[in-house]
Amino acid sequence: MNLLGIETSCDETAAALVEVRDGRMRVRKNIVSSQISIHKKYGGVVPEVAARQHAENVIPVIKKILGKSKPDVIAVTAGPGLATALLVGVEVARTLSYVWGTPLVRVNHIEGHLYANWLTAPRIDAIQLPALVLIISGGHTELVLMKKHGVYQLLGKTLDDAVGECFDKVGKMVGLSYPAGPQIGALARAGTRNAISLPRPMLEHKNYSFSFAGLKTAVLYHLQKHPLKTRHERADVCASFEQAATDVLVGKTLRAAKEYNARAVIMGGGVSANTYIRESLEVALAREMPKTKFIKPALQYCTDNAAMIAAAGYFHAVKKDFTTWDKLVIDPAWELAV
Ligand code: KG4
Ligand code: ZN
């Protein structure tokens, strides 16, 4: 099966061609046309600007992916995300499906982040379920129990900011440009992880909810009392912040993995590109649950891309979970699980 993935939920116009054959998934082509340099000057994503950029880029990107070939299935992100941005990808998918008669799959963006892990798995059945999934992105922070393909239970999510949003805002406070997540990780390596004392919000609460607004505010108060004077002080703030966020994410993920006897722990979303979080979770899991497999997406599939949308689309397509061009609608607030 050859699947065309289309993703336009935020600030990346992405398309990919993924082939599934003999129990293996292979990314044949993958293009992510980033708008980050355009949104940088506004300090964040401007929905209207994003939609215009998608409209300009989406056909050239798909043309580069497909050439003259036609896919067997089209998988497109229908939510969650920015309404005006989602509409562009969905309209193109509807049009192609109408013209070619190609089966259409409607994919949840968060489910895409989860399935990014299947893109590099040795075989599509190599990941054992139930799996505990930690989704950490710019818009979401969730712990989800994946019981079977397509069957999810939400264990907890953030009550306020997403962790990626928190990385970006803390980065802004210390003078970094949008998106600051990757830069914080790089600076943190030169800092001292307990240099400043920061809270670990909700770590001790016996539930799986998160809260990152308080952590962000604690950094703000620290900076108001101790304005940054040196590069080293900035590195210390980044390192202490990264440690506090990591402690919460790792602590809650481990507790959930134990409670639900997860056979695998999976992470996904832009923040799962953070080396320190990846390594800390891997080390903690190996120490406390050595029989549970730890799976992390390849770095190029952590942040938004369309290969992950095609991967999620495959698992719907094998169940004949198709939609048609006249029924496909966006859902900007689509929850993967409730
Ligand atoms: O998944 P994603 O590309 O878009 C959403 O669906 O939100 O995630 C983007 C987020 C941004 O907040 C960005 O700062 C963060 O992921 N991010 C990182 C890293 N790379 C991207 N945060 C921490 N460390 C990184 N290496
Ligand atoms: Zn995303």
Side-chain angles (χ1 to χ4, degrees), residues 67-231:
K68 290 196 172 21
S69 68
K70 281 185 194 167
D72 303 313
V73 172
I74 300 169
V76 62
T77 307
L82 304 169
T84 51
L86 288 164
L87 269 174
V88 178
V90 161
E91 283 308 313
V92 170
R94 272 156 52 90
T95 309
L96 292 178
S97 172
Y98 168 69
V99 173
W100 290 340
T102 311
L104 201 52
V105 178
R106 184 174 186 259
V107 176
N108 178 296
H109 179 82
I110 300 303
E111 192 179 30
H113 276 306
L114 189 171
Y115 276 105
N117 289 282
W118 269 259
L119 292 168
T120 42
R123 295 187 55 80
I124 52 173
D125 56 5
I127 300 175
Q128 305 219 319
L129 305 178
L132 198 273
V133 186
L134 174 68
I135 296 291
I136 40 180
S137 73
H140 289 78
T141 304
E142 301 185 347
L143 274 170
V144 173
L145 185 66
M146 180 183 188
K147 297 176 178 173
K148 292 181 194 166
H149 289 285
V151 182
Y152 310 106
Q153 180 187 341
L154 177 70
L155 304 182
K157 60 178 180 176
T158 182
L159 304 177
D160 40 60
D161 293 357
V163 64
E165 195 179 345
C166 192
F167 266 81
D168 293 337
K169 286 179 180 163
V170 166
K172 201 170 180 179
M173 289 177 209
V174 298
L176 303 174
S177 60
Y178 171 85
Q183 303 169 67
I184 289 202
L187 286 173
R189 261 173 245 146
T192 306
R193 298 203 174 267
N194 59 0
I196 64 170
S197 150
L198 292 171
R200 269 65 175 157
M202 302 192 78
L203 178 57
E204 300 309 327
H205 291 218
K206 299 291 171 226
N207 59 28
Y208 298 112
S209 303
F210 297 93
S211 164
F212 287 100
L215 177 56
K216 173 189 71 184
T217 312
V219 175
L220 180 68
Y221 288 160
H222 171 85
L223 292 170
Q224 283 171 348
K225 273 199 218 141
H226 312 275
L228 293 180
K229 288 191 209 79
T230 65
R231 289 162 72 98

Side-chain angles (χ1 to χ4, degrees), residues 58-72:
V58 70
I59 299 286
V61 166
I62 291 175
K63 191 165 172 248
K64 272 193 209 147
I65 291 294
L66 289 182
K68 290 196 172 21
S69 68
K70 281 185 194 167
D72 303 313

Side-chain angles (χ1 to χ4, degrees), residues 7 9-10 109-110 113 137-138 269-270 302-305 308:
E7 154 65 42
S9 69
C10 190
H109 179 82
I110 300 303
H113 276 306
S137 73
C302 287
T303 44
D304 291 351
N305 65 87
M308 68 183 198

